Amino acid sequence: MNLAEADITSVLWVTGCKLDFRFADRPLVDLWGYPKHTRGVNEIPGIHVVGLPCLTRRYSAMVGGAGLDARYIAGRAATS
């Protein structure tokens, strides 16, 4: 599928409970295997993360905390 022809501008990649970023051909992670980010925004344009432990608060990995982080990331992604 050609994403541009299908007018698809975003992809949501859900990895489950275990972190595994081997699919990426770019260096996304730090020494501990967590994505490099500042408040969920990766240094690579267009890469955002949510649902990680302590992303922005202690309960970021829980549904309520991830929802708050996702709201922020959705706003950032919409303007980038």
Side-chain angles (χ1 to χ4, degrees):
M1 170 185 273
N2 183 312
L3 298 179
E5 286 179 9
D7 197 30
I8 296 173
T9 59
S10 300
V11 175
L12 175 63
W13 186 281
V14 180
T15 61
C17 297
K18 184 177 178 185
L19 294 177
D20 184 358
F21 294 94
R22 291 178 292 179
F23 69 89
D25 62 352
R26 299 173 128 210
L28 296 175
V29 297
D30 60 19
L31 296 173
W32 299 278
Y34 284 88
K36 300 175 202 172
H37 69 88
T38 300
R39 200 173 174 196
V41 180
N42 189 274
E43 60 192 31
I44 300 171
I47 302 291
H48 303 85
V49 295
V50 294
L52 298 176
C54 297
L55 186 80
T56 61
R57 53 189 60 84
R58 286 185 186 169
Y59 60 99
S60 285
M62 301 176 82
V63 173
L68 295 172
D69 292 339
R71 183 176 299 135
Y72 172 77
I73 293 299
R76 287 292 305 260
T79 60
S80 61

